[in-house]
Amino acid sequence: MKAFRNPQLEVDLFRSRATVAALIVLAAFGLLAARLFWLQVVKHDELHHKAEAQRTTVVPVTANRGLIRDRNGIVIAENFSAYTLEIDPRQVQDVAATIDGLAAVVEIEPRDRRRFRKLQEELKGADSIPIRTRLSDEEVARFTAQRFRFPGVELRARLFRHYPLGEIGSHMIGYIGRVSPADKERIETWPDTANYAGTDYIGKVGIEASYQRELHGTTGMQEVEITAGGRAVRTLTLTPPVAGNNLWLSIDIRLQEVIERTFGDRRGALIAIEPATGDVLAFVSKPTVDPNLFVDGVDPAAWEELNTDPDKPLLNRALRGTYPIGSTYKPFLALAALETGKRRPEQVINDPGFFMFGGRRFRDSNRVPLGPVNLHTSIVKSSDIYYYQLADDLGVDTIHDFMKPWGFGQITGIDVDGEMTGILPSTEWKQRRFKQKWYPGETISIGIGQGYNSFTLLQLAHATATLANDGLVMKPHIVKRIEDAVTGESRTTVPTEGYRIPVKPEHLRIVREAMVDVNISGTGRVAFAGAPYKAAGKTGTAQVVGIKANEKYDAGKLDERLRDHSLYIAFAPAGPGEKPLIAIAALVENGGFGSRAAAPIVRTAFDYYLLGKLPPDMAPLKGDRLPPEAARPPEPPRLARAAETGRD
């Protein structure tokens, strides 16, 4: 039988299905609308912020580091920009394979790989580690063309520090290096921590470290639009950085270079100070090292070589080396004798060539008896016997109390971090240090700058400058003024008068006249023969190893590093009524007698600084390459200028 169709039923069924479908569609659209309302209205602000954060990012903009100039305007630390190739280890699955691939595009040497591995260990979690720095234009073009092959590798423009004079003054200037975890901890304690966002380099030692916050500048901020891959497309807003302040030093970098060249390959240190102001004119520590090695991160192999070098090129001998100062101590002991009344200038003692105390024979470095010796002769001929007896008469505590105001065994407060204290012995010091009493026999060697005496060359130079300045103490400093890089305004850092040591002028005159005679008829006469100015000086020789009483010192039979140190202190001009313009303390490690090694270096320094005279065999100075903005006619010799004006 044929079934009959029910049109009404089919219509009702269709309508019910259509209604259900419509309800489902409406429900779906309702859910979509609700979700749209939730996203566009309720969550609008939050999601807009997230979207903007993903579309844009804020990038710190490093400021130009301040320049460092010497007192005459010569630039000794500057900046330049260059491209670096950097890898983000978090975005690169196989770093080694990526570096191998990059090596086919740009030159990557073994030292670059070693430095990268070292930085990767030191900077764990860093988002960018350089594999190559200072790319050439050709290398930049080659990498840019193949950039798509290296996800996680970026080409960045960076500012680099450059020291145009290389090794000259390196221990004084210091250097910058990449920020280490220890640096980050230190930065977090500073009140301007936020200013170091994005900072990759920081001063490590020397002036670069001590004046880090002056040189750093103010970090800028740049809001940039980025792609999904994190690459910048365009800059939206920019808060420009502010360059760091420029430093003008008291250092005469030409004088510094003359002294360093005169030292040659010898180890030692020399500090020159302007007595009236405390300006440090030269701050030498030899051997030196090129600070440019550290800017990009020093090669581990080179770092190992520097640290294992027996000459210790990384040691700042001028600031951190401590030494017995030998007979350079005698002028100060002579002052102590006069001030305490233990000696009169005309009082004579007999110098038989040895001094007996407690059954022990103390030898004299002169090796021959000097016979009758007064205070003047004791300085000129450097009689050890005179000062053995004087030290015994004074006693260690009297010596300590007199020497302390002169800065021996004290922090001078120079504006470079890391200064050592040294040792100015006393009975209290020995009890505190060794839990032992002081024995009278220990005082004898104190009289010739030996025994427990251990001072920095900076302390000796500071005391010499104070002696030249009639007992007026001026705090030594290397930075003379700080210049705002934007406004050009300067503020001085030169301290005012410190304090005056209460020494009678006639006693100062007696000691200074004897020191002048040292260079005329005494132990410094050979080094200063023919000098057209008068210089006051004192030679010194400091033992490195002890010699038995019945043995004779023979430098030729000793290892070079066991030979005596050579020392010399001096200031000039030192004629009647003349105001000294420069005071120097010099030390040549294992150089022997002070008159042979240290004194000739000081003579060369005086000749250049006072007369503008160079040794005939010395090549032209690097420091003569003045920048255009600092170029000016050369000044006349300082002695002539002082004579014309009555001052320096």
Side-chain angles (χ1 to χ4, degrees):
M1 293 181 63
K2 187 177 180 179
F4 292 97
R5 297 177 59 189
N6 187 343
Q8 186 61 42
L9 180 61
E10 291 180 358
V11 169
D12 292 340
L13 182 60
F14 173 79
R15 286 176 176 171
S16 62
R17 290 176 177 175
T19 301
V20 171
L23 290 173
I24 292 174
V25 170
L26 287 173
F29 273 103
L31 289 173
L32 185 61
R35 183 61 178 169
L36 192 61
F37 179 82
W38 172 259
L39 294 174
Q40 293 290 335
V41 179
V42 178
K43 303 290 286 182
H44 174 271
D45 292 340
E46 178 183 345
L47 295 176
H48 177 74
H49 179 75
K50 287 183 177 181
E52 284 297 310
Q54 292 176 349
R55 184 180 71 89
T56 65
T57 186
V58 176
V59 180
V61 182
T62 306
N64 266 331
R65 194 170 178 85
L67 304 179
I68 301 178
R69 302 176 185 269
D70 87 328
R71 68 191 295 120
N72 298 311
I74 299 176
V75 176
I76 53 182
E78 60 187 359
N79 309 301
F80 71 94
S81 60
Y83 283 103
T84 68
L85 205 56
E86 303 185 10
I87 298 175
D88 185 345
R90 300 172 302 179
Q91 297 184 26
V92 177
Q93 293 183 351
D94 191 337
V95 174
T98 298
I99 293 175
D100 289 338
L102 288 169
V105 180
V106 300
E107 184 178 5
I108 296 178
E109 297 182 1
R111 69 168 180 261
D112 297 319
R113 295 174 186 262
R114 292 193 298 266
R115 184 177 59 216
F116 180 87
R117 287 194 294 269
K118 181 184 177 185
L119 290 173
Q120 196 173 15
E121 293 174 2
E122 294 177 350
L123 306 174
K124 291 180 179 177
D127 59 0
S128 183
I129 300 175
I131 181 62
R132 257 296 308 279
T133 59
R134 311 187 194 194
L135 274 71
S136 66
D137 292 342
E138 183 181 347
E139 288 175 319
V140 169
R142 285 204 305 266
F143 173 76
T144 302
Q146 301 191 49
R147 187 175 190 172
F148 66 93
R149 294 176 46 206
F150 303 103
V153 181
E154 290 291 337
L155 191 66
R156 301 184 187 226
R158 298 280 191 187
L159 283 172
F160 288 90
R161 198 64 157 170
H162 180 239
Y163 304 96
L165 299 182
E167 295 186 2
I168 299 169
S170 61
H171 286 284
M172 171 266 300
I173 302 164
Y175 57 84
I176 68 168
R178 291 191 70 91
V179 175
S180 66
D183 292 325
K184 289 181 179 178
E185 292 180 5
R186 183 161 53 99
I187 290 171
E188 287 174 359
T189 66
W190 295 348
D192 55 346
T193 303
N195 190 38
Y196 285 81
T199 297
D200 295 320
Y201 296 89
I202 192 172
K204 295 290 186 178
V205 295
I207 290 297
E208 289 278 27
S210 301
Y211 283 84
Q212 163 62 31
R213 293 168 69 184
E214 292 286 355
L215 291 164
H216 180 265
T218 303
T219 300
M221 290 296 171
Q222 180 177 230
E223 186 181 14
V224 297
E225 187 174 12
I226 58 175
T227 65
R231 287 192 178 139
V233 176
R234 62 190 176 101
T235 300
L236 301 177
T237 61
L238 172 64
T239 302
V242 179
N245 293 329
N246 300 323
L247 303 182
W248 286 73
L249 308 186
S250 60
I251 297 291
D252 184 327
I253 204 65
R254 294 189 190 93
L255 174 65
Q256 177 94 16
E257 184 177 357
V258 168
I259 294 167
E260 290 190 15
R261 287 193 185 184
T262 307
F263 256 94
D265 295 332
R266 292 174 290 186
R267 303 178 302 278
L270 182 148
I271 296 176
I273 299 176
E274 186 177 66
T277 62
D279 283 3
V280 177
L281 303 171
F283 191 91
V284 174
S285 176
K286 291 284 288 184
T288 55
V289 62
D290 189 348
N292 292 300
L293 291 173
F294 302 92
V295 174
D296 299 336
V298 65
D299 175 17
W303 178 250
E304 178 66 18
E305 183 179 347
L306 289 170
N307 277 282
T308 56
D309 189 330
D311 286 343
K312 299 181 179 179
L314 296 177
L315 172 63
N316 188 334
R317 287 168 164 82
L319 189 71
R320 299 188 57 78
T322 55
Y323 306 88
I325 61 171
S327 294
T328 59
Y329 208 34
K330 291 174 181 176
F332 302 97
L333 274 170
L335 270 176
L338 294 171
E339 286 292 310
T340 58
K342 292 292 184 181
R343 292 288 187 276
R344 298 185 310 277
E346 69 279 3
Q347 187 175 347
V348 173
I349 66 106
N350 181 51
D351 180 346
F354 63 89
F355 180 74
M356 296 299 299
F357 186 89
R360 180 183 173 187
R361 186 186 182 101
F362 290 84
R363 68 184 180 91
D364 192 305
S365 59
N366 289 306
R367 302 179 185 174
V368 294
L370 294 178
V373 174
N374 61 16
L375 188 140
H376 181 92
T377 306
S378 75
I379 295 175
V380 175
K381 301 297 182 182
S382 198
S383 169
D384 287 349
I385 308 309
Y386 187 96
Y387 290 94
Y388 287 146
Q389 181 65 62
L390 176 59
D392 185 45
D393 291 345
L394 287 170
V396 67
D397 286 334
T398 299
I399 295 173
H400 171 277
D401 294 345
F402 182 83
M403 297 299 178
K404 186 176 180 179
W406 294 86
F408 290 108
Q410 316 300 312
I411 295 294
T412 67
I414 193 171
D415 52 346
V416 183
D417 297 335
E419 181 181 0
M420 296 293 285
T421 304
I423 298 171
L424 178 63
S426 66
T427 55
E428 187 275 333
W429 168 83
K430 189 182 179 189
Q431 182 63 40
R432 185 178 68 252
R433 177 77 176 269
F434 298 108
K435 309 299 182 188
Q436 296 176 1
K437 70 175 185 178
W438 185 272
Y439 296 100
E442 294 174 314
T443 308
I444 307 305
S445 295
I446 297 296
I448 60 167
Q450 297 279 167
Y452 288 116
N453 283 331
S454 183
F455 309 126
T456 66
L457 200 70
L458 174 61
Q459 290 169 359
L460 182 57
H462 177 47
T464 304
T466 302
L467 179 60
N469 202 31
D470 298 327
L472 178 59
V473 179
M474 297 298 294
K475 182 179 176 181
H477 54 273
I478 292 178
V479 175
K480 194 172 180 69
R481 60 188 174 95
I482 300 173
E483 176 187 67
D484 189 302
V486 178
T487 66
E489 295 179 354
S490 295
R491 66 181 190 275
T492 60
T493 62
V494 179
T496 56
E497 177 180 325
Y499 56 90
R500 186 178 290 275
I501 300 173
V503 184
K504 292 180 180 179
E506 59 267 29
H507 294 161
L508 283 169
R509 177 184 54 78
I510 290 168
V511 171
R512 288 174 58 161
E513 286 177 353
M515 293 178 69
V516 169
D517 206 8
V518 165
N519 292 332
I520 296 174
S521 62
T523 54
R525 65 187 182 279
V526 175
F528 278 82
Y533 51 85
K534 284 191 175 181
K538 182 68 191 79
T539 55
T541 306
Q543 284 185 344
V544 175
V545 293
I547 302 296
K548 294 181 181 179
N550 60 346
E551 290 184 357
K552 183 178 179 180
Y553 174 79
D554 187 347
K557 294 181 180 179
L558 290 174
D559 180 270
E560 188 267 341
R561 295 178 187 276
L562 299 180
R563 297 172 189 170
D564 293 346
H565 294 325
S566 173
L567 295 109
Y568 188 73
I569 60 171
F571 52 87
E578 290 185 311
K579 186 178 181 63
L581 304 177
I582 181 172
I584 289 181
L587 174 140
V588 178
E589 289 186 1
N590 315 115
F593 291 112
S595 58
R596 295 179 185 171
I601 296 175
V602 175
R603 169 68 188 273
T604 300
F606 280 176
D607 282 356
Y608 178 75
Y609 189 73
L610 298 174
L611 306 173
K613 178 182 175 183
L614 281 173
D617 58 343
M618 185 170 287
L621 302 178
K622 291 181 181 179
D624 282 336
R625 298 178 303 183
L626 281 170
E629 65 271 25
R632 54 179 173 268
E635 294 179 341
R638 287 176 175 79
L639 278 182
R641 193 168 74 254
E644 292 170 0
T645 63
R647 60 182 176 81
D648 182 30

